[in-house]
Amino acid sequence: MTVTIRRWGWRRAIVTVLGAQVLFWTFYALIVLAFHPAVAWGEYRLPVGRAGPASTSVPTAAWIPGLSEPAVLHVPGWQPAIVTPARMTLLSPSEKTEGGGAWSLTCLNRSCATPDAIYVGPHDRIGMAAGWERFQRFDMVWVAIAVEGLLGLALLVLLPLSRFSRLQTITGLFMILVSADAWFTAFGADALPYAWFPLLRFGVEYLMLAMVALTVNAFAGWQPGAARITLACFGIALTVLIAAMLVLGDVAGVVPWLDAAALVLVSAYGIAALIRMSRTAPGPAIRVMAILLVGITSTAWDLLIHPAPTGPMLQASVLTPTLTTFLILFELALQGRQLSREADEARTDLERQVLEQDASLLRSSNLLRHQERRIAIDAERQRLLRDMHDGVGGILTHLLLDTREGRLNHAEIGESLQSAVDDLRNMASAIDAADEPIDEALAMFRERMWVRLARSGIDFEWRCELASPAARLDAARLLSLYRLLQEGIANTVRHGRATRIDLWAEPADNDRLRVTLSDNGMGFDPAAARGSPGEGRGLANMHRRAVQMGGELRIESAPGQGARLIVLVPIEDISKRKSGKFTND
């Protein structure tokens, strides 16, 4: 502790504690003493034993400071009037001629203490005086109740943001208990006129003091043992109150002793906990100790020093919640600033460490990108080689063999060369339309094939029933689909004698795409065609390409009824599939 205080500074600690006290008591003095009746309205004071003033043409009113309940006021020369706490009462001259005498006060409900003086004078001045008493006795209490209650509820509502912080939970409950204790003290006796009301009022008060200790405990570093002792002390105080109500019927005889004991225990524990905290955080500990001492001194003033009934009408403890709340907010602002400074330092250190690693990370990143680029280029080269070998290479190889052996005429050679060119165009189109919507890719295929089919007198129609935006196919799958459709169109041109070919795309079930190619040609028997000699390069190729796409091919045809090819292509997770996963045989 000595090392810590030496590092933080005795002078700064004393200035902080005394500064909080001066701020609080200066504010209290400005509100109370500057508007004390004996100072501001002394000329209208009627001490005990003095007769009332003579009647005048100016409306006259009476006001009794510190009145606790409604009462009947008798002033010689004036009609009896009912006066209420913190309110002025207009007086009417009496028609009867009364002799000398002094004023008197008779309570309506129960005996009340006789004040040392009343104030009688012009209604505007007396009304102002009554208004200041109402402000001090009631309005300030409601301000304290509202401020503490709303702040406590706000802290509890915002608990999820702090991940249900123990300190925030206890502080919120403490503020709500402060609000409840202020209401019970100022208004509870009139609102709850029950015999056991004192037990409720003082029970809430001692629970509030216990919550003060728990708040300090949470702020200084939570200690479960201290928390259990605090709750045990509250249980003892509550037991004493209950015993006093059962045996004596009232708690007035034990409350002063319990108040003194509670103040001593809370003060001692708070100071001890903050001293323990000061070893690690001297600045916040001293500031919180200053706030705690403000609450202790204001409560001690009200319980032990505050003169009654001639003292100030506003109790010091009523101002404590509001002012200490602003001090707590100021402390939170200071801690937030400190945390921000520490965060900036940590960020600067992190940036320095990041900069130290930039060079090595940059080299590693460049090397990795270079390797990835080479791998991607090699993979694309291999795919193109496979596509050329399986497509153009196969066609040209068969064409070369057939030409050498003289099995082909000029027309058949031209048809084979056209097939090779078409396959090259399919490859170029698949690369160009890779990862484009399938409707656009098929539209490009239709435009490319429409010219050739138009020369042969065949109409080629295209329609799409896919929702926008349509699904996408990678280059490998799109090339397989192009080749499958081209094979079907080639069979129609060679054998079908069709005058019209239709191509359309539509959604299917199970996240699949349905592409249909149909014609109005001669048709054929699919079962018989599977056993024909040319099946290896016809229907079998189309089935193989459908399998390469992970899909399914259906052929519907009959002699004289045209032919229909239905390709079902899965489209789920297409964006995640790489072209390298689908090879062409």
Side-chain angles (χ1 to χ4, degrees):
M1 178 63 185
T2 303
V3 176
T4 303
I5 293 297
R6 185 182 300 116
R7 184 177 67 247
W8 200 76
W10 275 102
R11 293 181 180 178
R12 188 181 300 180
I14 294 175
V15 169
T16 302
V17 173
L18 294 181
Q21 294 290 335
V22 170
L23 176 65
F24 174 78
W25 292 108
T26 301
F27 189 68
Y28 179 74
L30 289 176
I31 292 180
V32 174
L33 300 180
F35 304 102
H36 194 276
V39 177
W41 297 280
E43 58 183 307
Y44 306 112
R45 183 171 183 263
L46 295 180
V48 176
R50 180 177 170 180
S55 60
T56 63
S57 60
V58 178
T60 303
W63 161 60
I64 303 178
L67 189 65
S68 60
E69 61 176 277
V72 178
L73 175 65
H74 298 268
V75 179
W78 301 85
Q79 293 183 3
I82 297 178
V83 292
T84 55
R87 299 284 179 180
M88 75 169 184
T89 301
L90 291 174
L91 297 179
S92 300
S94 177
E95 297 178 356
K96 297 180 179 181
T97 302
E98 299 182 2
W103 59 269
S104 63
L105 191 68
T106 304
C107 293
L108 295 179
N109 298 327
R110 58 183 183 270
S111 60
C112 56
T114 302
D116 64 336
I118 66 171
Y119 292 81
V120 179
H123 76 286
D124 54 346
R125 295 288 295 166
I126 298 300
M128 184 182 299
W132 273 109
E133 181 188 9
R134 185 166 56 253
F135 170 75
Q136 293 184 23
R137 289 183 58 185
F138 302 113
D139 295 345
M140 286 298 297
V141 176
W142 280 116
V143 169
I145 292 172
V147 169
E148 295 300 309
L150 292 177
L151 285 178
L153 289 176
L155 288 176
L156 295 181
V157 170
L158 297 177
L159 277 177
L161 298 180
S162 65
R163 298 182 180 180
F164 297 92
S165 166
R166 180 187 288 112
L167 175 60
Q168 183 172 331
T169 303
I170 296 175
T171 304
L173 294 176
F174 164 66
M175 290 185 174
I176 292 176
L177 287 173
V178 170
S179 177
D181 179 67
W183 185 86
F184 280 121
T185 302
F187 312 108
D190 295 330
L192 302 173
Y194 302 112
W196 284 74
F197 169 75
L199 177 64
L200 179 61
R201 172 193 168 183
F202 291 104
V204 171
E205 177 181 333
Y206 296 135
L207 181 58
M208 176 194 69
L209 293 176
M211 202 59 64
V212 171
L214 292 179
T215 303
V216 175
N217 186 21
F219 186 84
W222 185 257
Q223 289 186 338
R228 287 192 291 269
I229 293 175
T230 300
L231 295 177
C233 291
F234 167 71
I236 293 173
L238 185 62
T239 302
V240 172
L241 291 176
I242 295 175
M245 290 295 298
L246 293 175
V247 176
L248 305 176
D250 194 4
V251 297
V254 299
V255 164
W257 299 97
L258 290 177
D259 286 344
L263 282 177
V264 171
L265 291 176
V266 171
S267 303
Y269 174 72
I271 294 174
L274 292 175
I275 289 176
R276 171 170 52 85
M277 177 188 171
S278 67
R279 297 186 179 94
T280 56
I286 294 300
R287 291 191 292 268
V288 174
M289 183 179 296
I291 297 173
L292 178 64
L293 290 177
V294 168
I296 293 173
T297 54
S298 62
T299 305
W301 166 269
D302 292 337
L303 296 178
L304 307 176
I305 304 174
H306 184 277
T310 60
M313 292 169 289
L314 178 65
Q315 292 185 337
S317 58
V318 173
L319 291 180
T320 303
T322 304
L323 290 183
T324 54
T325 297
F326 287 108
L327 292 176
I328 291 173
L329 294 178
F330 178 72
E331 170 62 23
L332 293 178
L334 289 179
Q335 294 193 17
R337 180 182 177 185
Q338 179 63 27
L339 291 176
S340 177
R341 185 183 299 109
E342 293 177 356
D344 291 340
E345 294 176 356
R347 182 168 57 251
T348 302
D349 183 66
L350 181 60
E351 290 175 354
R352 184 172 58 255
Q353 294 179 9
V354 170
L355 290 176
E356 292 175 354
Q357 298 295 327
D358 275 350
S360 59
L361 290 177
L362 183 59
R363 288 193 298 269
S364 300
S365 177
N366 291 336
L367 179 60
L368 180 60
R369 284 197 297 268
H370 179 69
Q371 292 177 347
E372 290 178 347
R373 189 181 301 112
R374 292 191 59 182
I375 293 174
I377 293 173
D378 291 342
E380 186 66 16
R381 183 183 295 114
Q382 294 297 325
R383 187 183 67 80
L384 290 174
L385 290 176
R386 287 195 300 270
D387 290 341
M388 294 180 66
H389 175 270
D390 296 338
V392 177
I395 296 174
L396 293 179
T397 300
H398 288 291
L399 177 60
L400 179 62
L401 294 177
D402 292 339
T403 302
R404 286 176 177 177
E405 296 178 5
R407 294 195 295 264
L408 300 177
N409 54 34
H410 290 287
E412 291 173 338
I413 292 174
E415 182 179 351
S416 298
L417 292 175
Q418 183 65 50
S419 297
V421 173
D422 289 341
D423 195 73
L424 281 175
R425 290 176 176 174
N426 284 335
M427 292 175 59
S429 297
I431 295 174
D432 185 53
D435 293 325
E436 294 293 330
I438 185 63
D439 54 349
E440 297 181 12
L442 291 177
M444 292 173 57
F445 177 80
R446 184 260 178 191
E447 290 297 326
R448 183 161 46 81
M449 298 300 298
W450 175 78
V451 177
R452 285 189 54 202
L453 293 176
R455 294 173 183 170
S456 302
I458 302 175
D459 293 332
F460 190 18
E461 300 296 333
W462 150 254
R463 70 176 183 270
C464 177
E465 299 179 2
L466 299 176
S468 181
R472 302 170 186 268
L473 292 179
D474 55 77
R477 284 174 168 242
L478 187 59
L479 179 58
S480 296
L481 180 61
Y482 280 167
R483 286 173 171 173
L484 190 154
L485 295 176
Q486 182 176 326
E487 187 78 26
I489 292 174
N491 290 337
T492 299
V493 172
R494 286 196 298 265
H495 311 296
R497 300 179 184 178
T499 61
R500 177 187 176 92
I501 297 177
D502 291 305
L503 174 67
W504 71 90
E506 58 186 340
D509 57 349
N510 298 327
D511 294 327
R512 294 192 296 181
L513 172 71
R514 180 186 290 113
V515 179
T516 304
L517 183 71
S518 64
D519 62 57
N520 62 352
M522 297 174 54
F524 64 96
D525 184 359
R530 289 182 180 277
S532 64
E535 189 269 342
R537 296 182 58 187
L539 300 182
N541 285 340
M542 289 188 286
H543 280 285
R544 186 176 70 253
R545 300 193 191 283
V547 173
Q548 290 171 357
M549 292 185 291
E552 176 184 354
L553 174 64
R554 300 175 186 173
I555 301 177
E556 299 176 357
S557 182
Q561 298 183 10
R564 175 178 296 184
L565 305 180
I566 301 174
V567 185
L568 297 174
V569 183
I571 59 175
E572 74 280 2
D573 297 332
I574 285 179
S575 62
K576 298 181 181 179
R577 298 177 183 269
K578 303 298 182 182
S579 59
K581 293 184 178 181
F582 304 98
T583 58
N584 298 298
D585 296 335

